[in-house]
Amino acid sequence: MAGKPRLTYCNGRGRMEPVRWLLAAAGVEFEEIFLETREQYEKLIKDGVLMFQQVPLVEIDGMKMVQTRAILSYVAGKYNLYGKDLKERALIDMYVEGITDLMQMILMFPFSPPEAKEKSLDSIKERATNRYFPVFEKVLKQHGQDFLVGNKFSWADVQLIEAILAVEEKIPAVLSGFPQLQAFKIRMSNMPTIKKFLQPGSPRKPPPDERYIETVLKIFKK
């Protein structure tokens, strides 16, 4: 029997958090190694573990996987969260890419200078409410099903609930004009694997704080 997947990253959300979400949603337990020093990171590079000298790193099924998108695709495929055919996969990919664009703004927010915070927050709100959330509101309303694609729980659903909760942390009333997404949030949050991941003490990471930002800059910024 294969061991648990092993995730190597900083002790914070960053580019690893979608991987944690997806594994947790699939009901998969995993181990984590947290980078705390530049030396740990440089050793990984020196040892040839990181294909492009970047983390996240996920060790799974005998592979040392890098590149967040590749990791997520593999996990989604392995645990049957990637649609039933090529067309469903294409739809899931489009939804995921859109959500990832929104999450990229949230990912970079803690690293923006104080004077740019308000403008960044306005941009997140504008994109979420005008570009991204309306797409998913419309999809759920049109097909009247519980899940985004094929009436079956998929990677796209996991990415969307992660994004909704991340945006709500910054803009609590962001879903006020999106009744379908409000209902979707409740449904997803009550799915057993996700409910467990949302409990205190789970591998889910808190919003980035000053310590996390300092650690990231110390390790990755030359």
Side-chain angles (χ1 to χ4, degrees), residues 189-203:
S189 300
N190 281 308
M191 288 192 66
T193 54
I194 291 179
K195 191 172 185 177
K196 184 180 177 185
F197 189 62
L198 294 174
Q199 298 301 313
S202 86

Side-chain angles (χ1 to χ4, degrees), residues 166-185:
V167 176
E168 278 189 331
E169 285 173 351
K170 311 237 173 312
I171 307 148
V174 73
L175 289 188
S176 59
F178 301 100
Q180 296 291 333
L181 289 182
Q182 290 174 32
F184 174 85
K185 175 190 159 188

Side-chain angles (χ1 to χ4, degrees), residues 64-82:
K64 290 179 167 59
M65 294 197 71
V66 295
Q67 298 298 319
T68 310
R69 170 73 206 214
I71 295 164
L72 289 166
S73 296
Y74 183 81
V75 171
K78 179 178 171 72
Y79 296 106
N80 201 24
L81 295 169
Y82 211 173

Side-chain angles (χ1 to χ4, degrees), residues 13 17-18 21 95-96 98-104 106 124 128 132-133 136 155-171 174-175 181 184-185 204:
R13 288 183 183 175
E17 194 69 356
W21 264 93
Y95 292 159
V96 163
I99 298 163
T100 301
D101 290 345
L102 176 60
M103 289 300 287
Q104 178 65 17
I106 293 166
I124 291 169
Y132 296 109
F133 287 174
F136 301 108
W155 173 19
D157 299 304
V158 181
Q159 291 268 120
L160 182 55
I161 183 62
E162 180 192 0
I164 286 171
L165 295 177
V167 176
E168 278 189 331
E169 285 173 351
K170 311 237 173 312
I171 307 148
V174 73
L175 289 188
L181 289 182
F184 174 85
K185 175 190 159 188
R204 186 185 181 214

Side-chain angles (χ1 to χ4, degrees), residues 3-4 19 25 32 43 45-46 74 76 97 115 120 124 129 132-133 144 164 174 197 199 206 213 219:
K4 295 176 185 176
V19 180
E32 297 199 73
K43 186 177 188 308
I45 295 172
K46 187 181 173 187
Y74 183 81
E97 289 290 334
E115 64 274 13
S120 298
I124 291 169
T129 56
Y132 296 109
F133 287 174
I164 286 171
V174 73
F197 189 62
Q199 298 301 313
I213 293 162
I219 295 171

